[in-house]
Amino acid sequence: MVGFPLLLIPLAVYNIIVFLMPGASFTDPLIKLPLMSGAEWQVTLSDVLLAVAALLLLLEVIKGARPGAKYLTDHLLSLIVFGAAAAEFVLWPKFATSTYFLLTLLALVDFLSGIALRTRRRALAAPTVSAATASQPARKVEPEPAREPHVDPAPAAPAASPAPAAASVAEQVLQDHAEPRASIASAELPAGGQPPAGTPQR
C-alpha cells in the first residue's frame, strides 16, 4: 500500500491561502494565549502551519520506522513534494517567505529520513542473515563406500561318480577268467561225460 505524503497537507493549505485568500496574512495573530509568566503569546497562521507540519513529520518518521512500511514509491512521492515546494519557493514571489521555506525544509527532512531509515534497515538485516547462515552447522559429506567388484561364482564341478570298490573289481576279473576255463573243460569231455583214457586229470 502506497503511503500518502503527510507533509503535502500544510503545503496545500499554504497554496490555498495564497491563491484563494489573497487578503489573509500569515503574520497576523489568530489567538492570544496568556502564559503563567504573565506574558501573552500571539499565535499566528504561520505558527499553526509550522506546528502541524512538525507533527506530521513525526508521523512520517514513525511510519518509515516500521518494518516494510516505506517503499520506493513513498520515497518518490516525498521527493516530488519537496521538489514542488522548492520550485514554488524559488519561482513565485508570494512563496518567498520564511514560513514557506521552513515548510520546504521539513519536506526535505521527510525525504532524507525515509532514505536513512531504509538504509539502516538494510544494514541491520545483512549481519542478521550472515549470522544465521554461520550458525548452521556445516554438513559433513561422507564419502560413498567403495563398491566391491562383483565376481560370478565358479560353476560347480559335476559330481564324480564313486569309484568302484577294489574288492568288486577283483571279483569281476576272477569271474571273467574262470568262465573260459569252464567252457574249455566242457568242450573236451566226450559225449558220455568221461574223459578219454590217458587224459590227465586236472
Side-chain angles (χ1 to χ4, degrees):
M1 181 178 179
V2 179
F4 178 78
L6 300 179
L7 267 297
L8 183 60
I9 296 175
L11 293 172
V13 171
Y14 195 98
N15 280 267
I16 291 172
I17 293 173
V18 167
F19 289 108
L20 301 180
M21 305 167 63
S25 176
F26 290 96
T27 58
D28 293 339
L30 296 177
I31 56 175
K32 296 180 180 180
L33 298 176
L35 303 178
M36 296 180 62
S37 62
E40 193 176 53
W41 177 37
Q42 297 181 357
V43 181
T44 63
L45 185 57
S46 297
D47 299 334
V48 174
L49 287 177
L50 291 176
V52 171
L55 293 176
L56 293 178
L57 177 61
L58 175 61
L59 294 178
E60 283 286 347
V61 173
I62 294 174
K63 285 169 51 181
R66 293 183 304 173
K70 275 281 188 178
Y71 297 96
L72 182 61
T73 309
D74 300 332
H75 300 311
L76 183 59
L77 290 177
S78 299
L79 180 60
I80 292 174
V81 170
F82 165 69
E88 286 182 338
F89 175 74
V90 174
L91 300 176
W92 293 77
K94 295 181 180 181
F95 294 93
T97 61
S98 298
T99 303
Y100 198 76
F101 170 77
L102 293 176
L103 292 176
T104 305
L105 184 61
L106 290 177
L108 176 62
V109 172
D110 176 31
F111 171 70
L112 295 179
S113 63
I115 296 297
L117 288 173
R118 189 179 184 88
T119 305
R120 180 64 177 173
R121 191 181 300 120
R122 287 183 178 179
L124 291 176
T128 305
V129 174
S130 60
T133 306
S135 62
Q136 295 180 355
R139 297 181 180 178
K140 293 183 179 180
V141 180
E142 298 182 359
E144 185 179 355
R147 296 181 179 179
E148 298 182 359
H150 180 72
V151 179
D152 294 335
S161 58
S168 61
V169 172
E171 291 178 359
Q172 184 69 25
V173 171
L174 290 177
Q175 290 178 1
D176 293 342
H177 286 282
E179 289 178 358
R181 290 180 181 178
S183 59
I184 293 172
S186 59
E188 291 177 353
L189 290 176
Q194 294 294 328
T199 302
Q201 296 289 332
R202 289 185 179 183

